[in-house]
Amino acid sequence: PAPAFPAAGLPVGMLPLAAPWPLPPEVVTVEVVGRRFLHNMVRNMVGALVEAGRGRDVNIPAILAARDRAKAPRRAPAHGLYLAKVLYS
């Protein structure tokens, strides 16, 4: 996949946690399960996770309390993220 953050060269993918094939160590996998999602919600979460993984100080409770998108880390780009499955109950 193309790098999610070109400066870091870090690809981000939305893949099942139990992939039937070995994944290269530079691929980050994230599985998000929920009843509903807001526009760009997963991209916002992945962007914060990538920044935290790169050692940046990411204070999620403070970001949520601020209710200001400008206070959050940058959003992960859409390329590399995909919807793997929809479950209906």
Side-chain angles (χ1 to χ4, degrees), residues 58-67:
V58 179
N59 185 338
I60 301 298
I63 292 168
L64 293 173
R67 301 179 64 95

Side-chain angles (χ1 to χ4, degrees), residues 63-85:
I63 292 168
L64 293 173
R67 301 179 64 95
D68 180 0
R69 179 72 192 113
K71 305 280 188 215
R74 73 180 190 183
R75 175 182 300 134
H79 65 276
L81 299 174
Y82 64 89
L83 176 65
K85 186 187 319 183

Side-chain angles (χ1 to χ4, degrees), residues 39-66:
H39 183 68
N40 289 325
M41 183 175 165
V42 173
R43 290 177 60 197
N44 292 334
M45 291 188 297
V46 170
L49 289 172
V50 168
E51 291 299 308
R54 294 180 69 210
R56 302 259 166 77
D57 182 27
V58 179
N59 185 338
I60 301 298
I63 292 168
L64 293 173

